[in-house]
Amino acid sequence: MIITIDGPAGTGKSTVAQSVARDLGFDFLDTGAMYRAIGLAALRRQVNLQDEREITYVARIAKIFFDFSTHPPGVLLNGEPVGHLLRAGDATRAASFVATVPAVRDILVKQQQEIGNSRPNLVTEGRDQGTVVFPQAELKFYLDATPAERARRRADQLRARGELVDISMIQDQIMDRDWRDARRAVGPLATPPDAEVIDTTELPLKSVVERIVSKARELQRGSVAS
């Protein structure tokens, strides 16, 4: 069973997907980490983030590997563990440019589909998982929340890492990212027509997890019975 969890930044996708995967005994795929890893690689090579050819070259030579023996899976970039670096502000901002490059999305979508083929019990989260990467997924969910709440959550994450934050700037960045994600030519942010939409603004993430796990187990029981 493949379960997709899509939605914009700050809606709790990663936290929910990790918890659902743990409760079901499934693998967890953080596709955002792949874009942030390419962003980190681009920053390290000091490439122009406005130059699609340079970013595409970085994506082609970068080797991203997930260590599924840990939970959540460790992320390695060219053999180096980088999971602790990928949620920093610089990598996240770079990822917002990387994600708009069609050739990069093609490269990473193929890698994500290969992971899905090799690890068939998967909870995957991102922005185009249910629409582009795994349109055949058995269960699809789309998480949403108000921009203000999403900015608050992101600010809390950055403060926990010791970073100084301007919450109004974070909210502006989130809204700008939403605008670009929804209008990009390849893999735009969109709600899969067959997805269940869950507003997490005031709903505890524990309740979101329980709802998704319940749906998955119900589907599993139905498959066994048939």
Side-chain angles (χ1 to χ4, degrees), residues 22-37:
R22 184 186 61 245
D23 289 355
L24 292 173
F26 283 18
D27 290 313
F28 162 63
L29 176 60
D30 179 0
T31 64
M34 301 175 77
Y35 289 97
R36 287 190 290 274

Side-chain angles (χ1 to χ4, degrees), residues 141-155:
F141 298 88
Y142 185 93
L143 306 190
D144 208 350
T146 64
E149 175 61 17
R150 291 158 54 203
R152 184 194 65 76
R153 294 173 184 172
R154 180 60 180 157

Side-chain angles (χ1 to χ4, degrees), residues 168-183:
S168 62
M169 182 180 297
I170 291 173
Q171 182 168 331
D172 288 344
Q173 291 172 347
I174 282 175
M175 295 177 71
D176 179 63
R177 176 75 185 270
D178 288 351
W179 187 89
R180 283 185 281 124
D181 282 350
R183 286 160 179 78

Side-chain angles (χ1 to χ4, degrees), residues 26-209:
F26 283 18
D27 290 313
F28 162 63
L29 176 60
D30 179 0
T31 64
M34 301 175 77
Y35 289 97
R36 287 190 290 274
I38 299 300
L40 177 62
L43 291 174
R44 287 178 167 180
R45 295 179 68 92
Q46 298 183 324
V47 306
N48 179 0
L49 293 177
Q50 305 284 352
D51 191 320
E52 293 191 0
R53 289 179 301 176
E54 289 190 25
I55 294 177
T56 300
Y57 173 75
V58 171
R60 284 187 178 136
I61 65 172
K63 297 187 184 303
I64 302 171
F65 176 76
F66 287 95
D67 178 5
F68 286 102
S69 68
T70 65
H71 188 86
V75 185
L76 289 84
L77 172 63
N78 299 323
E80 175 194 351
V82 295
H84 61 295
L85 301 174
L86 298 184
R87 292 286 178 178
D90 288 345
T92 298
R93 283 188 289 272
S96 70
F97 290 93
V98 167
T100 64
V101 181
V104 173
R105 298 199 70 86
D106 287 343
I107 291 169
L108 295 187
V109 164
K110 289 176 183 176
Q111 293 179 13
Q112 292 158 20
Q113 290 171 336
E114 289 171 359
I115 292 171
N117 288 333
S118 64
R119 312 194 78 85
N121 286 324
L122 188 71
V123 180
T124 178
E125 63 96 352
R127 286 171 171 75
D128 60 354
Q129 297 301 286
T131 52
V132 175
V133 186
F134 299 109
Q136 80 288 359
E138 287 82 357
L139 283 177
K140 301 179 184 179
F141 298 88
Y142 185 93
L143 306 190
D144 208 350
T146 64
E149 175 61 17
R150 291 158 54 203
R152 184 194 65 76
R153 294 173 184 172
R154 180 60 180 157
D156 287 346
Q157 289 177 341
L158 295 176
R159 289 192 187 102
R161 291 177 172 80
E163 297 188 35
L164 296 176
V165 299
D166 180 333
I167 196 166
S168 62
M169 182 180 297
I170 291 173
Q171 182 168 331
D172 288 344
Q173 291 172 347
I174 282 175
M175 295 177 71
D176 179 63
R177 176 75 185 270
D178 288 351
W179 187 89
R180 283 185 281 124
D181 282 350
R183 286 160 179 78
R184 64 182 177 228
V186 179
L189 173 65
T191 306
D194 49 349
E196 178 179 340
V197 178
I198 304 176
D199 189 329
T200 70
T201 302
E202 297 182 359
L203 189 64
L205 294 186
K206 180 180 178 181
S207 298
V208 179
V209 172

Side-chain angles (χ1 to χ4, degrees), residues 15-23 198 204-215:
T15 301
V16 167
Q18 286 185 50
S19 298
V20 169
R22 184 186 61 245
D23 289 355
I198 304 176
L205 294 186
K206 180 180 178 181
S207 298
V208 179
V209 172
E210 290 173 349
R211 182 184 301 187
I212 295 175
V213 169
S214 175
K215 291 288 181 69

